[in-house]
Amino acid sequence: QVQLVESGGDSVQAGGSLRLSCAASPYLLNYMAWFRQAPGKEREGVAIISTVSKKTFYADSVKDRFAISQDKRTIYLQTNSLKPEDTAMYYCAAANYLEKRTMMEAGSFDVWGQGTQVTVSG
């Protein structure tokens, strides 16, 4: 059973940066992702990385500001130029198979972490 543990969430001013981490044990699945959920909103896909091809995918709302990367069994999400609307609980997720049409949907992922809170003020 794969377990995911997120860390790195914090409260920052608008324009600031954070690096979120997701430690996977005992191994990564083929696709690792970051999702986020703000109060009263649905969980939305932010970024996905294929641990095989290293290809990345991003939601339009974060493209050019966020970057997903992998180092051994840890997945990172570098978040730059943060905006108040980026405030949410950020979750790490994993799946072995994704379809292009539904890859940004929470239901496509099998394993989830407990989340780490990002709060952007200003």
Side-chain angles (χ1 to χ4, degrees), residues 33 42 49 56 73 92 95 109:
E42 291 189 358
I49 185 168
T56 56
R73 286 187 283 115
C92 184
F109 288 81

Side-chain angles (χ1 to χ4, degrees), residues 40-92:
K41 294 190 176 182
E42 291 189 358
R43 194 169 294 192
E44 63 170 345
V46 173
I48 300 171
I49 185 168
S50 164
T51 59
V52 176
S53 68
K54 303 299 186 282
K55 192 171 182 180
T56 56
F57 308 87
Y58 295 95
D60 289 341
S61 59
V62 306
K63 205 170 291 184
D64 300 327
R65 297 190 299 124
F66 290 11
I68 189 170
S69 62
Q70 172 196 344
D71 181 20
K72 297 180 182 177
R73 286 187 283 115
T74 300
I75 301 296
Y76 299 99
L77 185 69
Q78 178 67 42
T79 66
N80 300 320
S81 302
L82 284 163
K83 306 174 182 179
E85 51 264 43
D86 293 319
T87 294
M89 184 72 79
Y90 283 69
Y91 296 92
C92 184

Side-chain angles (χ1 to χ4, degrees), residues 1-17:
Q1 179 76 9
V2 172
Q3 292 189 326
L4 307 175
V5 178
E6 303 98 329
S7 61
D10 205 344
S11 296
V12 296
Q13 294 287 321
S17 300

